[in-house]
Amino acid sequence: MNLKIGKTETMWFGTSKRLSKTQNMKLSVNSTEINSTNSYKYLGVHLDSTLLQSNDFDKKYKKCIGRLKLLYKVRSYLTVKAAHSIYTNMVVPTFTYCGVVNMVWNRSQLVKLDRLLNRAKRIINGTVKVPDIKNEISKRAVVMTFQCIKNNYLPSVFDNYLTMMSHNKATRNNNCSLIIPKVKLECT
């Protein structure tokens, strides 16, 4: 295995309690010690060792606040439609990128997100409906899950659990409903 010294890093994932036990663990390959890190940026998402995504949220929130400040400064020169378009194309994608990863936000982060949405509504100042970021993330997660199931992108392990309901009539719902088996809880 070829490693680039200085570029290769390791990251341990787990709860804070379990990670405290791994603080002294060192990983070495071919007698070369590999640096350990607590966070890593991968494809635009800031991963942290506890997978709480607080660092990722803070970075995205700061970026969105900066973009809203810029929109506020130029708002007097724009129509409502142009301001709405800038918000939809510059602020919303910042949070909706890798939306499924972002579904672990805590209550305080969701409150910040609501404040951001209210600020955007005040800046745009129109009767145009501003997209809610939380709803956009949920909607994209549902659509992505449905497409994975419908196009058989799921691992074969799930074949016996999730099936598409189909019938002989040509309706819009044909092959669009999911049959999920009832769970049998057993106590021992």
Side-chain angles (χ1 to χ4, degrees):
M1 179 195 274
N2 293 330
L3 299 176
K4 293 195 177 199
I5 299 172
K7 284 189 118 185
T8 304
E9 296 178 321
T10 62
M11 189 158 106
W12 301 99
F13 292 99
T15 61
S16 297
K17 187 176 181 180
R18 289 195 177 186
L19 288 173
S20 65
K21 296 176 184 176
T22 63
Q23 279 182 333
N24 298 329
M25 290 181 72
K26 303 289 182 193
L27 182 67
S28 60
V29 176
N30 296 336
S31 70
T32 303
E33 190 173 304
I34 299 175
N35 296 331
S36 185
T37 184
N38 291 330
S39 65
Y40 184 75
K41 184 177 179 181
Y42 184 69
L43 296 176
V45 177
H46 296 270
L47 299 170
D48 57 1
S49 54
T50 58
L51 294 177
L52 294 176
Q53 304 300 348
S54 57
N55 190 23
D56 185 55
F57 179 87
D58 293 340
K59 300 264 186 199
K60 289 180 179 181
Y61 184 77
K62 188 175 180 181
K63 184 184 280 189
C64 286
I65 288 295
R67 290 179 179 182
L68 281 179
K69 283 180 183 178
L70 184 62
L71 179 60
Y72 177 76
K73 289 178 182 179
V74 298
R75 175 62 186 98
S76 60
Y77 305 106
L78 301 172
T79 64
V80 172
K81 187 175 180 180
H84 180 268
S85 179
I86 289 172
Y87 170 77
T88 304
N89 293 308
M90 291 188 69
V91 177
V92 173
T94 304
F95 274 108
T96 56
Y97 176 71
C98 290
V100 178
V101 175
N102 299 329
M103 295 187 79
V104 295
W105 290 333
N106 61 37
R107 184 172 289 162
S108 65
Q109 291 168 331
L110 293 175
V111 167
K112 280 183 169 182
L113 206 54
D114 283 336
R115 286 188 198 141
L116 186 93
L117 180 66
N118 291 334
R119 185 173 183 177
K121 286 178 182 177
R122 284 193 307 271
I123 291 172
I124 293 172
N125 194 21
T127 56
V128 179
K129 187 177 182 219
V130 177
D132 185 359
I133 294 171
K134 291 182 295 190
N135 290 342
E136 288 293 319
I137 291 170
S138 298
K139 194 185 321 176
R140 289 180 186 204
V142 168
V143 168
M144 187 174 74
T145 304
F146 179 76
Q147 288 174 342
C148 286
I149 293 168
K150 187 172 182 175
N151 296 325
N152 292 325
Y153 294 145
L154 288 177
S156 60
V157 175
F158 294 105
D159 286 347
N160 297 329
Y161 297 104
L162 304 171
T163 55
M164 298 300 291
M165 184 171 61
S166 62
H167 47 77
N168 296 330
K169 297 180 183 174
T171 63
R172 285 182 285 169
N173 288 333
N174 193 19
N175 275 336
C176 290
S177 297
L178 186 64
I179 301 171
I180 302 173
K182 292 184 179 181
V183 178
K184 296 179 183 177
L185 299 176
E186 296 179 12
C187 297
T188 56

